[in-house]
Amino acid sequence: MKKTPLNQVHKNMGAKMTDFGGWEMPVEYTGIIEEHKAVRNKCGLFDVSHMGEILVSGKNAKKSLQKIIANDLNKLEKGKIIYTPICKEDGGIIDDLLVYSLQDDQFLLVVNASNIEKDYNWIKEHLLEDTTAENLSANYAMVALQGPNSKKILTQLTDIDLNSLSYYRFREAKVAGVNMIVSRTGYTGELGYELYFEPEEAEKMWDELMEAGSDFGLQACGLGARDTLRLEKIYALYGNDIDESTNPFEAGLSWTVELDKGDFIGRKKLIDIKENCCQRKLTPFVIRGRGMARHGYEVYAGEEKIGEVTSGSYSPTLEEGIGLAYLKSEHTEVGSEIEIKVRNRKIKAEVVKGPFV
Amino acid sequence: MSVKEDLYYSEDHEWVREEEDYLVIGVTDFAQEELGDIVFVELPEVDEEFDKDDSFGVLESVKAVSDTFIPVSGRVIKVNEDLLDNPELINDDPYGEGWLIKVDPADDSELDELLSAEEYAEFIEEE
């Protein structure tokens, strides 16, 4: 199994470890619910060094990426970040990622751990001349500091003015004397930062952040809480809610597809898909009966199967079962009553307006 | 991780306590620790009968679903209804308030096939 530079730190802290797409990662330290609430109310620190980083640079870097991604790089000036899918010709999602504009001819792509090789090969294949892609995943450690107290904690360790760093922007800065990218992004829906730095500094950074956060309720958080936090905000999880068999429109990601920006891979098909959108839609629901929905469970309206659950969990904030399912469009109206097949019985659920929290 | 003396244990991480007329069954501290925060419990009906090692209920934590297996054959005479609203009792007090069911055993000799506290402690050491 692959290990992040913080592997030993997690084990020393007594974290429960799991295999996450070939990476040995912490699921929880003291409990998912406690960690989840820490992020909503105070602050949490996550090791997300398994994420991949691909640097695209050269004369035609921007032009190449405009062809590869569905969102529009013209929205992106230096120091800004955009979220975008990469689609296949048929509109299926290869990955969802962040693009950081480092220089006019240099972009850093932050991709899902399970897709690093796939993305890297796809990008290389579609680059224009005088442009290169480098897989720098091993060169970066990455931690996410997330929660209402994150700014107060980070401020203690850096000279940059975090008040001037707005959502989806980044800056190169020194934190606790270490050079890094400080990015105002996250996967929790709370005020937060993602930090990218050299793996050799990972243990020192973790300790510095935990120390600086000790007066602010900072809690080490695992992938378990990361999943419940993102689900409450309906942030898609690649491999669960989106994959190569789903398109951005049915996934609720239409805002990430710029059909008018010029040609890009999948555009032709995506125009069709948008016009006929959608036979099915990713739909949030709350469990009203007794039970919990999980990935892969079938969804019914009466005797008719109308879809499948892509993400299902307990919501620590709402204290009830929540989930996402691709449902036939006629069943996606808020208030629609649906049933989830849990083991050998069906439990009631209701379509709600997202996000859950 | 605690293993309590004077209980019988199964390799599926259930414990059995012998009372005068019946047996009390629950899951071990090790099991609740492995599962994490338990948020939903499915229990059998009173009077349901089970054979040894049958699944008699389901525990769901935030992340995982897990069956519970009955360590001895018998008829359910009581279920812990407090767990329906407070499943976290299993995390907080697995050998006490977090008990699952009370059973009228079909065959007392099945208890002898279970592990002692010492044997169970060794068993989880190896897991």
Side-chain angles (χ1 to χ4, degrees):
Chain A
M1 250 188 293
K2 284 178 266 187
K3 292 175 179 166
T4 76
L6 290 164
N7 186 274
Q8 198 53 49
V9 173
H10 305 315
K11 287 180 177 164
N12 293 346
M13 290 178 76
K16 204 181 287 177
M17 307 295 283
T18 192
D19 177 354
F20 181 79
W23 290 82
E24 189 181 43
M25 298 297 290
V27 197
E28 58 174 80
Y29 301 82
T30 59
I32 294 174
I33 295 175
E34 186 181 333
E35 292 165 27
H36 179 110
K37 289 183 172 167
V39 173
R40 287 275 179 260
N41 302 320
K42 290 171 180 161
C43 199
L45 183 62
F46 302 77
D47 174 18
V48 283
S49 302
H50 59 311
M51 301 287 288
E53 290 84 11
I54 297 170
L55 183 71
V56 176
S57 47
K59 203 175 79 188
N60 287 316
K62 184 174 173 185
K63 239 178 165 177
S64 299
L65 285 173
Q66 280 291 64
K67 205 181 73 175
I68 292 167
I69 68 171
N71 211 333
D72 187 0
L73 280 187
N74 286 320
K75 295 175 185 170
L76 196 62
E77 338 161 347
K78 198 179 148 194
K80 281 194 179 180
I81 305 156
I82 52 167
Y83 171 76
T84 181
I86 293 179
C87 293
K88 297 185 297 178
E89 289 293 354
D90 70 0
I93 302 170
I94 290 177
D95 200 8
D96 66 326
L97 56 144
L98 296 178
V99 182
Y100 287 69
S101 173
L102 301 180
Q103 302 290 344
D104 294 339
D105 58 355
Q106 206 178 55
F107 299 87
L108 187 68
L109 279 48
V110 180
V111 308
N112 284 300
S114 53
N115 290 336
I116 295 172
E117 283 303 313
K118 182 177 79 166
D119 292 354
Y120 178 55
N121 291 332
W122 179 266
I123 289 162
K124 264 196 312 191
E125 235 171 78
H126 292 95
L127 287 179
L128 301 170
E129 54 183 15
D130 301 325
T131 306
T132 57
E134 290 167 85
N135 179 1
L136 299 183
S137 301
N139 299 16
Y140 286 98
M142 177 179 177
V143 299
L145 184 71
Q146 301 279 305
N149 289 347
S150 57
K151 194 191 285 181
K152 288 178 208 150
I153 294 169
L154 198 54
T155 297
Q156 297 178 78
L157 299 175
T158 185
D159 291 334
I160 59 166
D161 175 20
L162 292 172
N163 288 317
S164 67
L165 186 64
S166 48
Y167 194 48
Y168 266 63
R169 295 190 190 230
F170 69 93
R171 202 165 301 165
E172 290 178 52
K174 263 194 165 75
V175 176
V178 175
N179 289 316
M180 64 182 67
I181 293 174
V182 177
S183 166
R184 175 79 198 280
T185 46
Y187 198 42
T188 64
E190 299 299 330
L191 171 67
Y193 303 87
E194 292 177 307
L195 311 176
Y196 303 80
F197 47 85
E198 287 188 355
E200 293 71 30
E201 306 286 357
E203 293 199 8
K204 167 187 153 78
M205 272 317 301
W206 183 272
D207 292 343
E208 292 271 4
L209 286 163
M210 288 301 284
E211 171 70 29
S214 59
D215 291 339
F216 296 95
L218 181 61
Q219 159 85 48
C221 295
L223 294 186
R226 186 167 156 87
D227 189 47
T228 52
L229 288 157
R230 69 93 198 165
L231 181 57
E232 285 185 346
K233 296 291 179 183
I234 314 193
Y235 296 152
L237 173 60
Y238 196 90
N240 270 43
D241 309 309
I242 52 175
D243 58 31
E244 291 188 16
S245 72
T246 62
N247 67 64
F249 290 102
E250 62 190 11
L253 298 174
S254 58
W255 59 277
T256 66
V257 180
E258 280 298 336
L259 293 171
D260 297 332
K261 71 166 184 173
D263 197 28
F264 64 93
I265 300 166
R267 177 172 179 269
K268 229 174 121 198
K269 185 70 196 206
L270 286 165
I271 291 171
D272 275 0
I273 291 170
K274 189 185 180 186
E275 261 168 37
N276 302 308
C277 185
C278 302
Q279 275 82 42
R280 57 173 198 173
K281 276 187 206 158
L282 192 60
T283 307
F285 63 84
V286 171
I287 300 284
R288 297 299 184 208
R290 290 189 42 78
M292 216 55 70
R294 303 286 181 184
H295 179 80
Y297 286 9
E298 295 176 342
V299 185
Y300 287 82
E303 291 304 302
E304 187 197 1
K305 188 188 164 195
I306 57 167
E308 231 169 68
V309 174
T310 57
S311 288
S313 183
Y314 173 82
S315 159
T317 306
L318 301 179
E319 300 187 344
E320 56 193 351
I322 60 171
L324 298 173
Y326 279 105
L327 299 183
K328 289 186 178 172
S329 296
E330 56 270 34
H331 298 284
T332 58
E333 207 172 302
V334 171
S336 298
E337 289 181 7
I338 57 174
E339 287 186 302
I340 318 275
K341 194 169 170 198
V342 176
R343 293 175 285 277
N344 287 317
R345 60 199 178 87
K346 289 179 183 168
I347 57 170
K348 287 199 187 327
E350 183 186 336
V351 172
V352 296
K353 190 173 178 299
F356 295 102
V357 171
Chain B
M1 202 100 57
S2 85
V3 173
K4 223 165 155 1
E5 289 297 321
D6 302 327
L7 301 179
Y8 297 92
Y9 293 88
S10 77
E11 293 188 355
D12 295 316
H13 309 290
E14 275 81 26
W15 55 261
V16 181
R17 191 173 70 235
E18 220 175 352
E19 298 283 340
E20 207 155 305
D21 302 322
Y22 56 88
L23 304 175
V24 187
I25 294 170
V27 296
T28 64
D29 192 35
F30 177 84
Q32 70 78 19
E33 181 82 35
E34 284 289 299
L35 270 166
D37 295 328
I38 294 167
V39 293
F40 177 74
V41 178
E42 211 173 279
L43 292 173
E45 303 280 334
V46 168
D47 282 339
E48 264 189 81
E49 291 186 20
F50 294 95
D51 289 332
K52 180 179 161 71
D53 296 333
D54 281 354
S55 164
F56 71 94
V58 174
L59 305 181
E60 294 210 27
S61 66
V62 178
K63 280 221 78 75
V65 187
S66 173
D67 280 296
T68 54
F69 299 98
I70 199 160
V72 290
S73 309
R75 181 176 60 87
V76 177
I77 57 170
K78 203 164 189 225
V79 303
N80 186 355
E81 287 178 3
D82 290 345
L83 299 179
L84 302 181
D85 289 329
N86 299 298
E88 69 278 6
L89 288 174
I90 299 170
N91 295 117
D92 297 344
D93 190 9
Y95 298 114
E97 284 187 78
W99 64 276
L100 301 178
I101 55 173
K102 293 178 179 174
V103 168
D104 179 16
D107 177 359
D108 282 335
S109 73
E110 282 180 349
L111 281 177
D112 302 335
E113 298 162 25
L114 297 173
L115 305 176
S116 67
E118 200 181 327
E119 287 166 333
Y120 180 68
E122 264 172 48
F123 175 72
I124 55 175
E125 192 70 24
E126 287 163 20
E127 277 258 294

